[in-house]
Amino acid sequence: MDSQTSQPSQAPQSPHTFQVDLRGLVDLLSHHLYSSPKVYLRELLQNAVDAITARRAGQPDAPARVRLHAEASALRVEDTGIGLTESDVHALLANVGRSSKRSDGIQEARSEFLGQFGIGLLACFVVAERIRVVSRSARTPDAAPVEWTASDDGSYTVRTLPDAARPEPGTTVHLTARPGAAEWLAPDRVMALARDFGSLLPYDVRVGEEAVTDLPPPWDRAYPSPAGRRVALARHCHELFGFTPLDSIELDVPLAGVRGVAYVLPSAVSPAQRATHRVHLKGMLLTERAEQLLPDWAFFVRCVLDTDSLRPTASRESLYEDETLAAVREALGERIRSWLTALAANDPERLSAFLSVHHLGVKSLARHDPQMLRTMLPWLPFETTDGQLSLEEFAQRHPVVHFTRSVEEYRQVAPIASAQGVGVVNGGYTYDSELVEALPSVRPGTVVAELDADTVTAHLDAVDPAEELALAGFLAAARARLDPLGCDVVLRAFHPLSVPALHLDDRAARHEQARAAAEEQADDLWAGILGSLRGTAPRARLVLNHLNPLIRRIGSLGDRELIGTATESLYGQALLMAQRPLRPADTALLNRAFIGLLEWATHGEDGH
């Protein structure tokens, strides 16, 4: 009933003024505290649910209904809660933000519930220009109904009403939309928001005659079989998050007051991508974007859960980082870890399907969890010279587990090492080198060694000294041409025969190359400083394959210039085969060698 048509109260009316700057408060709420105007409906639902909870604390059989009636540019919300007296109205609505030492009655009751009545109701000014509240107290049944009417200009009136204005205990809130905000009070929008925020609320909430609540939650329902449960949860995940999960993980942590489910993403995601989760607080949706709910390694799941222990921030749109949240995060991480362990023990097929997509997350966990590494050793895939294998299987095949720290190093040595019978693990991918180095701690007796250029060269066959001496002139010309690039030339015999040359270096050699390049481009001062940093790091090397027919033909050349051009061509081809990024000097060398070979070939034709 509108305040302009209601019967006047017996007490004279007088205007009052909020003890805050309401316009400034509304601006603060809408532009700084809340992410969207839609939270107004959450605040209304919170107030209604808290009022019912407060009434049922003293009257367990009291009705528990919330009804929303949306019309064009207006919304009415009715609840059967504890209601308000005139003194409650002044205390809870007029003195917003004012500290109160009262510890009796409704203020004490509300302190344990979802929201704060006054600030929550004023949040409705984000979409409303006028708010009217009619309420009757269940704690003081003989008190007359009270009406509180407020405008967004900061003024309000309070008056008592005849008993007929609100015969039963409870509260009715009327909103009149502010210009430009009518869409937020439209029936379809109200229904969508009510279902989003209130689907897990413990009371009967309806928009018109249509139910909002959908209890029990999908993870608490009984299903005819485990397969039926998986299908139902997969359907729920698709409706909620838009994807069909690989699997679902129960999140039941009674000590933390948490119940819910984690859905495993069907496709790989970047570890750097922040996972966001849906969190309900005592049934009310708190946020769809909780980021700190799980450990960082669990980026492969999306959660939806209900909790009564976590603390919301001031806007009640995210979680407050405290010891409770840290404990919940640890407990949820343990549930996901237990799920992985159970899969390894009971369902290898599902585990393999999961790891084919999300091995990165499990590797991240295994880095700091020896038990998880031990459990996952037979399952985690690694790129090796024997193909995609687990570390367990690879270690069974090779007495020494060699590994590289970068993908570039692996590409350089993998074909040659494999031909020589040396097994190598590519440790260049995220977490892989750390896990390989941790292998002896969970598999005693395993020998792990980093594979560098010296180790590879040592596994290649030396050339007969007489043959190498006969090629001394060729090797001297080749070394002279590559010396400015910081690269040595050595002659070895190795398989496969089809590889004419192999470029080998390590991190120390690349660091020295980078230092030398910087020294060339620096001014005198910096050149001197960089020069003083010159170390005795090993240089890169171009290993020529004496078994390759092309190398034998090049070795027989007598023209030093042509030998230099051919050596540059072999150097460039070896870099490309190793898929190494080319420096400007390397690119210039490739162009020069290509042009040189063309000139030599066309010159040879002219001489016929």
Side-chain angles (χ1 to χ4, degrees):
M1 187 170 72
D2 192 280
S3 63
Q4 302 302 317
T5 59
S6 62
Q7 297 181 20
S9 66
Q10 301 302 314
Q13 296 185 49
S14 60
H16 306 274
T17 303
F18 281 103
Q19 296 183 17
V20 296
D21 178 355
L22 185 57
R23 291 187 184 277
L25 178 60
V26 171
D27 178 74
L28 175 67
L29 294 174
S30 59
H31 293 105
H32 302 286
L33 189 62
Y34 296 130
S35 61
S36 166
K38 69 181 183 180
V39 298
Y40 87 91
L41 193 67
R42 183 195 65 196
E43 300 293 344
L44 289 174
L45 288 175
Q46 284 183 346
N47 285 341
V49 168
D50 283 351
I52 294 172
T53 301
R55 183 177 180 185
R56 283 203 153 188
Q59 303 175 27
D61 58 347
R65 298 188 305 272
V66 180
R67 296 292 182 266
L68 296 90
H69 303 277
E71 303 170 359
S73 302
L75 175 66
R76 185 173 82 256
V77 181
E78 303 172 347
D79 69 63
T80 57
I82 196 169
L84 302 169
T85 63
E86 184 173 4
S87 61
D88 291 332
V89 168
H90 283 287
L92 294 174
L93 297 176
N95 297 328
V96 175
R98 178 179 176 182
S99 174
S100 173
K101 300 300 183 182
R102 289 183 58 190
S103 60
D104 60 309
I106 193 170
Q107 285 187 321
E108 183 181 34
R110 289 188 184 280
S111 66
E112 299 179 358
F113 302 145
L114 290 172
Q116 295 298 319
F117 188 87
I119 194 69
L121 193 58
L122 290 187
C124 294
F125 279 120
V126 172
V127 298
E129 67 175 0
R130 185 166 173 269
I131 301 174
R132 177 171 166 259
V133 178
V134 176
S135 187
R136 185 175 192 130
S137 174
R139 290 189 307 109
T140 313
D142 56 344
V146 61
E147 176 193 75
W148 176 88
T149 304
S151 300
D152 61 0
D153 62 2
S155 65
Y156 75 94
T157 60
V158 178
R159 62 176 182 169
T160 56
L161 301 175
D163 287 350
R166 177 85 201 194
E168 298 295 330
T171 300
T172 302
V173 179
H174 303 258
L175 301 186
T176 302
R178 65 170 51 250
E183 61 175 301
W184 293 104
L185 275 60
D188 290 347
R189 177 64 68 90
V190 168
M191 186 67 207
L193 293 178
R195 281 182 170 165
D196 198 33
F197 285 121
S199 62
L200 302 185
L201 289 174
Y203 305 132
D204 178 15
V205 181
R206 296 175 182 268
V207 176
E209 296 302 319
E210 197 167 352
V212 168
T213 50
D214 185 20
L215 297 175
W219 52 84
D220 281 337
R221 296 173 189 170
Y223 297 95
S225 67
R229 181 180 185 82
R230 281 198 297 270
V231 170
L233 289 178
R235 186 184 310 116
H236 175 249
C237 176
H238 194 274
E239 293 172 354
L240 206 60
F241 294 116
F243 65 85
T244 300
L246 282 178
D247 206 348
S248 55
I249 306 170
E250 299 288 331
L251 300 179
D252 185 5
V253 189
L255 291 178
V258 170
R259 283 285 295 141
V261 61
Y263 293 116
V264 181
L265 291 165
S267 56
V269 293
S270 167
Q273 179 179 333
R274 278 289 186 181
T276 56
H277 313 284
R278 287 178 64 96
V279 177
H280 296 256
L281 181 60
K282 301 174 186 174
M284 180 71 71
L285 178 66
L286 180 71
T287 178
E288 301 173 280
R289 300 185 300 276
E291 292 186 350
Q292 307 298 332
L293 192 64
L294 295 180
D296 289 342
W297 55 262
F299 53 81
F300 50 83
V301 298
R302 295 292 180 270
C303 295
V304 53
L305 56 83
D306 188 27
T307 176
D308 58 13
S309 64
L310 297 179
R311 178 182 168 193
T313 58
S315 66
R316 296 194 290 283
E317 293 187 283
S318 59
L319 297 172
Y320 189 82
E321 184 67 48
D322 57 11
E323 293 181 358
T324 302
L325 179 57
V328 167
R329 182 162 50 238
E330 183 177 348
L332 295 180
E334 183 57 39
R335 282 294 304 118
I336 298 173
R337 185 185 288 106
S338 299
W339 169 78
L340 284 169
T341 304
L343 280 189
N346 305 316
D347 202 338
E349 187 174 335
R350 283 171 67 197
L351 178 63
S352 296
F354 166 76
L355 289 177
S356 68
V357 179
H358 295 301
H359 57 271
L360 201 58
V362 180
K363 287 181 177 180
S364 174
L365 169 61
R367 286 184 307 155
H368 307 297
D369 189 332
Q371 182 58 45
M372 183 55 61
L373 177 58
R374 188 177 293 109
T375 301
M376 289 295 149
L377 267 182
W379 309 104
L380 286 173
F382 287 78
E383 183 181 357
T384 78
T385 48
D386 293 353
Q388 285 285 116
L389 293 178
S390 69
L391 286 181
E392 175 69 27
E393 186 174 356
F394 188 83
Q396 290 173 357
R397 296 185 182 187
H398 299 278
V400 178
V401 178
H402 288 99
F403 74 99
T404 64
R405 291 190 182 275
S406 71
V407 175
E408 291 80 7
E409 291 173 354
Y410 178 80
R411 287 169 178 164
Q412 287 181 78
V413 304
I416 309 305
S418 180
Q420 308 305 311
V422 178
V424 185
V425 177
N426 184 356
Y429 295 115
T430 307
Y431 310 132
D432 283 8
S433 62
E434 296 175 67
L435 294 177
V436 175
E437 290 182 296
L439 189 55
S441 67
V442 297
R443 196 178 188 275
T446 304
V447 179
V448 172
E450 183 176 355
L451 190 67
D452 56 20
D454 288 334
T455 306
V456 176
T457 306
H459 278 84
L460 305 180
D461 294 334
V463 177
D464 182 85
E467 293 187 43
E468 187 166 3
L469 182 61
L471 295 172
F474 159 73
L475 292 174
R479 288 167 181 154
R481 183 57 66 95
L482 294 188
D483 183 68
L485 295 173
C487 183
D488 292 332
V489 177
V490 296
L491 189 66
R492 292 289 188 273
F494 56 86
H495 293 273
L497 301 180
S498 57
V499 177
L502 175 66
H503 181 271
L504 294 177
D505 66 1
D506 53 25
R507 289 185 305 282
R510 289 195 293 275
H511 176 76
E512 175 61 21
Q513 288 177 339
R515 187 209 58 77
E519 182 180 355
E520 290 179 3
Q521 299 176 6
D523 57 29
D524 292 342
L525 173 61
W526 283 108
I529 295 174
L530 291 169
S532 68
L533 298 176
R534 184 184 299 114
T536 58
R539 285 154 57 96
R541 67 199 69 176
L542 182 69
V543 184
L544 302 179
N545 188 359
H546 187 55
L547 301 180
N548 180 269
L550 176 61
I551 295 299
R552 288 182 175 272
R553 289 197 296 271
I554 294 174
S556 65
L557 295 174
D559 186 337
R560 288 183 62 88
E561 187 63 30
L562 184 56
I563 290 173
T565 300
T567 302
E568 289 180 336
S569 299
L570 290 169
Y571 174 83
Q573 189 263 354
L575 285 180
L576 294 175
M577 289 295 293
Q579 302 183 45
R580 287 287 309 279
L582 299 180
R583 298 172 298 166
D586 297 330
T587 303
L589 175 144
L590 277 172
N591 292 333
R592 184 170 65 248
F594 178 71
I595 297 299
L597 289 176
L598 284 179
E599 289 179 346
W600 178 82
T602 54
H603 177 74
E605 290 182 358
D606 293 342
H608 284 299

